[in-house]
C-alpha cells in the first residue's frame, strides 16, 4: 500500500507540474511576419489593433549552408522601414534549414545571438525578451539541434521558444521554454490533387493522440496564406477554406484545451487579411 501511495503521489506531482509549466506561456493573440522588410500599411496596422495582437514573431534572417556546404551562413536578412506599435512585443525569429543541423557548429549559437543583438541596436529595437528558432528537425538532426538550442539559451539568457511540427510530437521535448505548434504545411505537396498540402484535417488527425502527453507549453499557429505553384506548366493555387482551419482548431483544442491560450496566424500580409472574413479571424483568435 505504501508503494502504491508513493506512485499516486508522484503522478499527482507530475500532473500539477505539467499544468504549471503550461501556464508559463502568456495568453494572447499573435502573428508571424515573414517578409524581408518590416513595412506596415494601414490594413495591416488596423488588423493588429482589431484582433488585439500583442506579439509579432518577426523573421530576422534565415540560416543556410554556404555554397561549399561546410558552414552555416545568414541569408535574406530583414530591413526595418517601420516600427511596431509600442504595445506589441517583437520576437526575433530565425529560420534554420535542417541540413545546418547534420553536424555540430560550435560557435553558431553565439553568432546568431550576437547578430540579433546587433540588429536590435542598429534599428533601435528595445526590450526584446524572447527569441524563437524555427527548424524542421528530424530524428537525424534532433540531437544536434537540441544541443544547439541549449547553446542559444545560454548565450541569450532569456526566453527561448522553438517551432514544433506535427511529426515532431513523437520525439523528445526540445530544451526550450515553450513551443509553437505549426499547424500548416501538413500534407505531401506531391499529392496535391488528393488533399490540400497546406492543411487538411485528415493529415492532422493522426497526431491528435500525441498532443496531451507532450510535456511542453504550446502555442498554436494556423495558416492564412496562399501557396501558388507551377506544376508541369500549370499554375496551381492552394488556399485553405476557413471551415477547414476552424475544424482543425476545434479538434486540437478538444484534445488539449490549453492550445487556445496563445494563437498565432501565419502570416501578417494585406492579401492574407483580405482572404478571410473578419468573422473567421474572430473565430480563429477566440479563446
Amino acid at each position: 500500500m505504501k508503494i502504491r501511495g508513493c506512485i499516486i503521489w508522484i503522478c499527482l506531482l507530475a500532473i500539477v507540474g505539467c499544468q504549471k509549466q503550461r501556464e508559463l506561456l502568456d495568453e494572447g493573440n499573435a502573428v508571424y511576419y515573414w517578409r524581408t522588410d518590416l513595412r506596415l500599411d494601414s490594413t495591416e496596422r488596423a488588423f493588429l489593433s482589431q484582433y488585439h495582437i500583442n506579439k509579432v514573431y518577426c523573421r530576422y534572417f534565415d540560416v543556410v549552408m554556404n555554397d561549399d556546404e561546410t558552414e552555416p551562413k545568414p541569408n535574406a536578412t530583414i530591413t526595418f522601414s517601420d516600427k511596431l506599435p509600442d504595445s506589441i512585443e517583437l520576437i526575433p525569429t530565425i529560420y534554420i534549414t535542417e541540413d545546418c543541423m547534420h553536424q555540430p557548429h560550435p560557435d553558431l549559437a553565439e553568432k546568431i545571438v550576437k547578430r540579433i543583438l546587433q540588429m536590435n541596436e542598429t534599428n533601435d529595437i528595445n526590450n526584446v525578451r524572447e527569441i524563437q528558432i524555427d527548424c524542421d528537425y528530424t530524428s537525424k538532426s534532433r540531437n544536434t539541434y537540441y544541443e544547439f538550442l541549449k547553446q542559444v539559451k545560454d548565450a541569450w539568457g532569456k526566453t527561448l521558444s522553438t517551432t514544433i511540427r506535427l511529426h515532431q510530437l513523437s520525439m523528445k521535448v526540445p530544451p526550450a521554454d515553450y513551443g509553437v505548434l505549426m499547424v500548416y504545411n501538413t500534407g505531401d505537396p506531391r499529392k496535391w490533387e488528393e488533399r490540400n498540402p497546406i492543411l487538411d484535417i485528415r493529415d492532422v488527425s493522426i497526431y491528435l493522440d500525441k498532443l496531451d502527453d507532450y510535456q511542453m507549453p504550446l502555442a498554436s499557429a494556423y495558416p492564412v496564406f496562399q501557396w501558388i505553384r507551377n506544376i508541369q506548366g500549370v499554375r496551381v493555387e492552394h488556399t485553405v477554406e476557413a471551415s477547414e482551419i476552424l475544424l482543425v482548431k476545434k479538434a486540437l483544442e478538444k484534445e488539449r484545451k490549453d492550445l487556445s491560450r496563445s494563437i498565432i496566424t501565419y502570416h501578417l500580409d494585406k492579401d492574407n487579411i483580405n482572404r478571410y472574413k473578419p468573422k473567421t479571424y474572430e473565430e480563429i483568435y477566440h479563446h
Side-chain angles (χ1 to χ4, degrees), residues 34 58-63 91-97 112-113 115-116 119 131-135 145 148 161 163:
W34 219 257
C58 181
R59 190 204 64 87
Y60 267 38
F61 53 89
D62 299 338
V63 177
I91 301 171
T93 301
I94 312 301
Y95 172 71
I96 297 181
T97 58
I112 287 174
V113 171
R115 197 167 199 267
I116 291 170
M119 289 175 66
I131 59 177
Q132 182 172 108
I133 305 294
D134 175 19
C135 181
Y145 180 63
F148 163 75
S161 59
T163 51

Side-chain angles (χ1 to χ4, degrees), residues 20-242:
K20 286 184 177 179
Q21 184 189 43
R22 290 180 182 183
E23 289 174 357
L24 291 174
L25 177 58
D26 292 339
E27 185 172 335
N29 299 335
V31 293
Y32 276 105
Y33 189 92
W34 219 257
R35 304 188 330 240
T36 54
D37 183 17
L38 183 60
R39 185 190 300 268
L40 303 175
D41 67 11
S42 58
T43 300
E44 292 155 357
R45 288 187 180 275
F47 180 91
L48 295 175
S49 175
Q50 181 176 353
Y51 299 102
H52 309 290
I53 304 300
N54 58 20
K55 290 183 181 181
V56 171
Y57 294 84
C58 181
R59 190 204 64 87
Y60 267 38
F61 53 89
D62 299 338
V63 177
V64 302
M65 291 301 289
N66 61 12
D67 293 339
D68 59 7
E69 299 292 316
T70 57
E71 290 292 331
K73 67 172 185 178
N75 186 53
T77 301
I78 195 172
T79 56
F80 293 88
S81 296
D82 284 339
K83 281 195 170 185
L84 294 174
D86 291 339
S87 60
I88 296 177
E89 180 181 358
L90 184 148
I91 301 171
T93 301
I94 312 301
Y95 172 71
I96 297 181
T97 58
E98 192 263 347
D99 58 349
C100 291
M101 293 292 119
H102 287 178
Q103 63 184 39
H105 301 281
D107 59 349
L108 180 59
E110 189 174 342
K111 283 182 177 178
I112 287 174
V113 171
K114 185 177 180 180
R115 197 167 199 267
I116 291 170
L117 293 173
Q118 288 175 338
M119 289 175 66
N120 289 344
E121 183 177 356
T122 300
N123 295 283
D124 195 26
I125 298 170
N126 303 309
N127 302 317
V128 174
R129 303 181 303 165
E130 174 187 341
I131 59 177
Q132 182 172 108
I133 305 294
D134 175 19
C135 181
D136 189 4
Y137 59 90
T138 64
S139 56
K140 177 182 178 180
S141 55
R142 180 190 64 194
N143 289 341
T144 300
Y145 180 63
Y146 284 15
E147 183 59 35
F148 163 75
L149 286 179
K150 291 177 184 177
Q151 294 167 0
V152 172
K153 179 71 172 177
D154 288 343
W156 174 240
K158 302 177 187 178
T159 301
L160 173 67
S161 59
T162 186
T163 51
I164 306 292
R165 286 157 178 82
L166 291 172
H167 72 87
Q168 294 163 347
L169 288 171
S170 61
M171 302 182 194
K172 184 173 65 174
V173 170
D177 294 293
Y178 72 90
V180 173
L181 186 66
M182 298 177 68
V183 194
Y184 50 89
N185 295 343
T186 58
D188 186 340
R190 296 168 297 182
K191 299 179 180 179
W192 61 275
E193 291 181 290
E194 300 173 21
R195 57 184 73 176
N196 194 323
I198 299 177
L199 184 64
D200 189 297
I201 185 66
R202 292 170 291 180
D203 293 317
V204 175
S205 60
I206 59 176
Y207 299 100
L208 291 177
D209 64 348
K210 301 183 185 303
L211 269 175
D212 201 46
D213 292 331
Y214 196 72
Q215 301 299 305
M216 186 182 205
L218 289 175
S220 51
Y222 297 96
V224 293
F225 62 92
Q226 183 180 55
W227 186 12
I228 301 174
R229 296 192 294 160
N230 188 296
I231 302 176
Q232 297 179 348
V234 178
R235 176 187 166 99
V236 177
E237 298 182 5
H238 304 294
T239 304
V240 184
E241 295 290 336

